[in-house]
Amino acid sequence: MQVTLANPRGFCAGVNMAIECLDEAIRIFGSGIYVYHEIVHNRHVVERFTAQGVTFVDRVEDVPPNSILLFSAHGVSPEIRHLAERLQLQTIDATCPLVTKVHMEALKFARDGYHIVLIGHEGHDEVVGTMGEAPESITLVETPEDVDLLPFAPEEPIAFLTQTTLSVSEAQAVIDRLIQRFPDIASPPKEDICYATTNRQEAVRQLSETADVVIVLGSQNSSNSLRLAELGEGRTGRAYLVDSVDELPDGWNEGVERVVVTAGASAPEDVVTDCLDHLKSAHGATVDEITVSEEHVHFPLPRELRVLQSDAGSASHVDGREADRRQTDNTA
Ligand code: SF4
């Protein structure tokens, strides 16, 4: 068995920052911390923090007053921020800056009188947060067919935005249909699908050319991992999205000689290492890592956490979205 290990894979800058945020918050406050939604969409990461005493909640109302509440990498709507404020929670915003960028674009387009067509997956945490910025001015679409049903006239001021973790090719098909229907549609100043999503997909696209199967390490609720598995399946006819190697079904390797291994942006590297060790020991695999693109993106911790680092306990809630807070360069 020949294994091609995709690079880049695994943790992106936003996931690294969110995990570092929670680690640091635990160091400062102890483990009785609450997180709104999963810090990142990965079972191993969530289990590790749960074992340390962190509580993940889906309702801000479930957090006791005066507690520390961390907002996950996927971002939240203003309604959730205000609710946390009313409940006197001390908040730390671990939203990925590239998600915040989409929120800011939504706000700007809405203020400028545009109706926004958001391309994304209904119910995803990020989409819920973005739509909450301007609920009256945003319509969600998932497919080109959804675009055909939009009730707007071509001359109306329309703009589009996208979720950060979509399939690049599927999003482009929706954008193409939007441009057909609304030739003057405004677009985000810079691509919304983030560098990490784009790079991981491009690596699988290039490396799976001659592969028999693609293994994606990641969780089923991880949007970018799902997109990698769909891409792998489209390229090779067979792909597995698994949290760890022991979830591969019996017989997965029948007739398989060439395997591509990758990991979603929220999957830790140790699950990749475990997978490779298994493929070597159980299937005599040889492993070649191939780098398709280099990534050098890093996001600093949010300002409110840096303040707390220097003066633990003395800082109160600071809105996490100051324009100067973080780097928002969406390039690799
Ligand atoms: S996948 Fe992209 S948008 Fe999501 S956390 Fe990572 S860098 Fe940010």
Side-chain angles (χ1 to χ4, degrees), residues 40-116:
V40 300
H41 285 154
N42 184 267
R43 200 189 77 201
H44 298 283
V45 173
V46 170
E47 283 177 358
R48 168 166 86 82
F49 283 117
T50 303
Q52 289 181 67
V54 171
T55 306
F56 293 91
V57 295
D58 287 326
R59 284 163 30 96
V60 178
E61 297 89 329
D62 294 338
V63 182
N66 304 313
S67 301
I68 309 291
L69 176 66
L70 207 128
F71 296 135
S72 78
H74 307 102
V76 295
S77 66
E79 194 187 343
I80 295 297
R81 290 175 194 280
H82 296 146
L83 181 57
E85 225 171 277
R86 278 207 303 283
L87 294 174
Q88 298 177 307
L89 304 175
Q90 186 169 335
T91 57
I92 298 168
D93 186 2
T95 304
C96 174
L98 301 181
V99 174
T100 300
K101 166 181 160 289
V102 181
H103 282 227
M104 295 304 166
E105 289 164 355
L107 273 176
K108 181 164 188 325
F109 276 132
R111 277 194 204 120
D112 291 348
Y114 286 87
H115 192 92
I116 300 152

Side-chain angles (χ1 to χ4, degrees), residues 282-304:
H283 304 287
T286 55
V287 179
D288 281 320
E289 181 172 17
I290 298 190
T291 300
V292 172
S293 58
E294 303 270 355
E295 292 182 348
H296 304 284
V297 182
H298 174 261
F299 298 131
L301 291 175
R303 175 179 289 179
E304 62 269 32

Side-chain angles (χ1 to χ4, degrees), residues 12-15 73 96 98-99 164-165 194-197 224 265 299:
C12 59
V15 164
C96 174
L98 301 181
V99 174
T164 57
T165 50
C194 76
Y195 79 94
T197 298
N224 77 87
F299 298 131

Side-chain angles (χ1 to χ4, degrees), residues 245 270-285 287:
V245 68
D270 53 359
V271 298
V272 177
T273 307
D274 287 349
C275 177
L276 297 178
D277 287 348
H278 172 81
L279 297 181
K280 286 181 205 164
S281 62
H283 304 287
V287 179

